[in-house]
Amino acid sequence: QAQPAESGGGSVQAGGSLRLSCDASRWSYGGYCLGWFRQDAGKEREGVARMNSDGSTTYADSVKGRFTISKDNAKNFLHLQMNNLKPEDTAMYYCAVHGGYCTSFYGFTSWGQGTQVTVSS
């Protein structure tokens, strides 16, 4: 089964920035929804941001104003620009694909392996 592939994680101090990328070229055509999720040890996975094929975006309240989801349509890469990072943003970040128009963070069926983001205070 095809999987998206994340990159760009790392360690930064609070207030710093990171940019995550996801190779979703397998899903270049069709009305797919692409999303970013995160999960820290001992916590439930949470949706961070998602983008439908029409360009509409949705963010979790915890990241609004700090994170920006975008897509390189030429390469079908999904990005997550993360600014003003906080220690509570520390988690494994996953890229995921929803096979249609998404209106929530549920129903994503293809998942990447994840990339670790660690924010120190």
Side-chain angles (χ1 to χ4, degrees):
Q1 183 178 355
Q3 288 181 301
E6 307 92 339
S7 62
S11 297
V12 295
Q13 290 191 324
S17 298
L18 281 174
R19 186 179 189 233
L20 305 184
S21 296
C22 171
D23 181 354
S25 55
R26 164 66 175 79
W27 296 271
S28 298
Y29 304 100
Y32 293 104
C33 174
L34 302 175
W36 287 100
F37 294 76
R38 66 187 181 187
Q39 186 170 22
D40 197 12
K43 298 181 180 178
E44 291 189 356
R45 185 176 62 201
E46 65 170 334
V48 175
R50 64 181 190 263
M51 174 181 276
N52 277 299
S53 56
D54 63 1
S56 59
T57 58
T58 303
Y59 296 90
D61 288 343
S62 58
V63 305
K64 281 181 182 177
R66 300 187 299 121
F67 290 12
T68 302
I69 189 171
S70 63
K71 189 160 152 296
D72 179 340
N73 289 317
K75 299 179 180 178
N76 213 49
F77 269 62
L78 185 72
H79 301 289
L80 185 68
Q81 178 66 41
M82 305 185 295
N83 297 328
N84 191 23
L85 282 160
K86 303 175 181 181
E88 52 263 44
D89 294 318
T90 295
M92 185 72 80
Y93 282 70
Y94 299 90
C95 176
V97 182
H98 183 292
Y101 192 90
C102 60
T103 57
S104 74
F105 284 111
Y106 294 96
F108 286 75
T109 55
S110 298
W111 294 83
Q113 296 293 317
T115 185
Q116 179 68 37
V117 171
T118 302
V119 184
S120 58
S121 58

